[in-house]
Amino acid sequence: MNLILNYYLYFQGGIKEKLNKTIKEVKLLYRSSQHGDATQFHSKCDGKQNTVTFAKAKNGRKFGGFANQAFHSSNSWISDPNAFVFSLDFKECYYYNNDGYMIYGSSSYGPLWGNGHDLYFASGCMSNTTSQTNQKSFDYKSRVNALSGSTNFQVEDYETYELILE
């Protein structure tokens, strides 16, 4: 899949806009098709700051999320006003709308952005349709189904990278 190579320049613009930094280096931390489910996501990604997750749904849609703060497995919200989600299909970033729920850390599933599951990777996401993209905590610029194209989706693959910023 290696989505980050295909969208590096576009995503670099989102990082520049939100954090006023540039990407110096990119390190693959996790690939669902290679590493397994939520437990492996957390063993490889917890404690890492400045991560970006790129996903491709079975329907072909490409989207993801950026977390400035580190994920964890403590079943609690993580304050991260720099977090955002994005659509690679529409080439748009959607920024946090100040509702108090940015990213969530739980060992029961993969990464989660936003209250009401704006972007949520369920356990077994490559074999079921229980992952979700709801539009509640970020400003979607009036675009309907901006991320996966529907509320529930099945993942073809997703990757999480650590970004070294300067």
Side-chain angles (χ1 to χ4, degrees), residues 67-81:
N68 187 224
Q69 298 300 312
F71 281 98
H72 59 62
S73 301
S74 303
N75 296 318
S76 62
W77 288 101
I78 303 162
S79 179
D80 189 351

Side-chain angles (χ1 to χ4, degrees), residues 84-98:
F84 62 90
V85 295
F86 55 88
S87 165
L88 297 173
D89 299 302
F90 297 120
K91 295 181 174 52
E92 294 177 337
C93 292
Y94 309 108
Y95 301 112
Y96 170 67
N97 68 12
N98 296 317

Side-chain angles (χ1 to χ4, degrees), residues 31-71:
R31 180 177 291 133
S32 60
S33 61
Q34 179 181 349
H35 297 116
D37 215 347
T39 303
Q40 289 304 310
F41 168 82
H42 287 285
S43 73
K44 295 184 177 301
C45 300
D46 281 5
K48 305 286 186 185
Q49 289 186 298
N50 299 315
T51 58
V52 60
T53 298
F54 290 96
K56 184 175 182 185
K58 286 278 189 177
N59 67 5
R61 295 288 288 268
K62 297 172 200 81
F63 50 92
F66 171 77
N68 187 224
Q69 298 300 312
F71 281 98

Side-chain angles (χ1 to χ4, degrees), residues 114-126:
N115 186 30
H117 300 111
D118 282 63
L119 178 53
Y120 158 67
F121 292 90
S123 182
C125 63
M126 294 179 67

Side-chain angles (χ1 to χ4, degrees), residues 4-5 13 19 28 33-34 55 83-84 89 116 122 145 158:
I4 197 163
L5 295 178
L19 299 176
L28 175 67
S33 61
Q34 179 181 349
F84 62 90
D89 299 302
N145 294 319
Y158 78 92

